Amino acid sequence: MMSLGFVYFVFFPSIVTTPLAGSTVRRIGTRPTFWASLGLAGIGLPLLLMPSLAAVLIGLALVGVGTFFAQATATGFVGRAAIADRGSASGIYLACYFFGGLVGSAVLGQVFDRFGWPACVAGIALSLILAAVLAFRLKMPDAAHSV
């Protein structure tokens, strides 16, 4: 059981890299950072289907780094884009983030039970694609409308 607990070390790279999201956004912009983050997570997905434990662990680490980086990018964007009540805007975003995680876990759990691990990985890929498409809507509000 203790050895199984070591799988949580796949989150360590995320802990190290997530704080770099802000400087990356300043350097290349919100959308490119978000898309690159999701792309990195996507690169990890095929590794989750490999028969090698090492490949799966690397895949999990890449998915974790990419998704946590994207989440930090989105959180920072909400804080900058909110015209008023920044705290409320951030709170609503985080509530939606966690609610989406709960729903996603439940849905992917059902997909896994009914169709297996490859279908679950495909579901993760679909969610990454949806997030990338939604990123087209990330834009700062007009200064004229921020009164």
Side-chain angles (χ1 to χ4, degrees):
M1 291 304 287
M2 185 171 165
S3 296
L4 184 59
F6 286 126
V7 77
Y8 285 99
F9 278 104
V10 301
F11 289 114
F12 182 73
S14 300
I15 294 167
V16 173
T17 58
T18 299
L20 304 174
S23 61
T24 304
V25 167
R26 281 189 296 280
R27 201 168 46 256
I28 67 172
T30 299
R31 261 186 264 162
T33 300
F34 195 74
W35 285 329
S37 302
L38 297 176
L40 182 64
I43 289 169
L45 293 180
L47 296 172
L48 300 180
L49 301 172
M50 300 292 222
S52 162
L53 178 61
V56 170
L57 292 176
I58 291 168
L60 287 171
L62 289 172
V63 170
V65 168
T67 55
F68 279 87
F69 212 89
Q71 192 273 336
T73 301
T75 301
F77 173 79
V78 168
R80 289 188 318 277
I83 295 168
D85 296 324
R86 286 192 166 122
S88 294
S90 292
I92 290 168
Y93 167 76
L94 287 173
C96 291
Y97 170 78
F98 286 112
F99 180 72
L102 290 170
V103 171
S105 297
V107 169
L108 288 176
Q110 293 300 310
V111 168
F112 177 77
D113 283 346
R114 289 186 170 89
F115 305 106
W117 181 242
C120 190
V121 172
I124 296 167
L126 285 175
S127 68
L128 293 174
I129 291 167
L130 177 62
V133 169
L134 290 173
F136 279 106
R137 299 192 62 158
L138 293 177
K139 57 184 174 184
M140 296 302 284
D142 231 358
H145 295 97
S146 62
V147 178

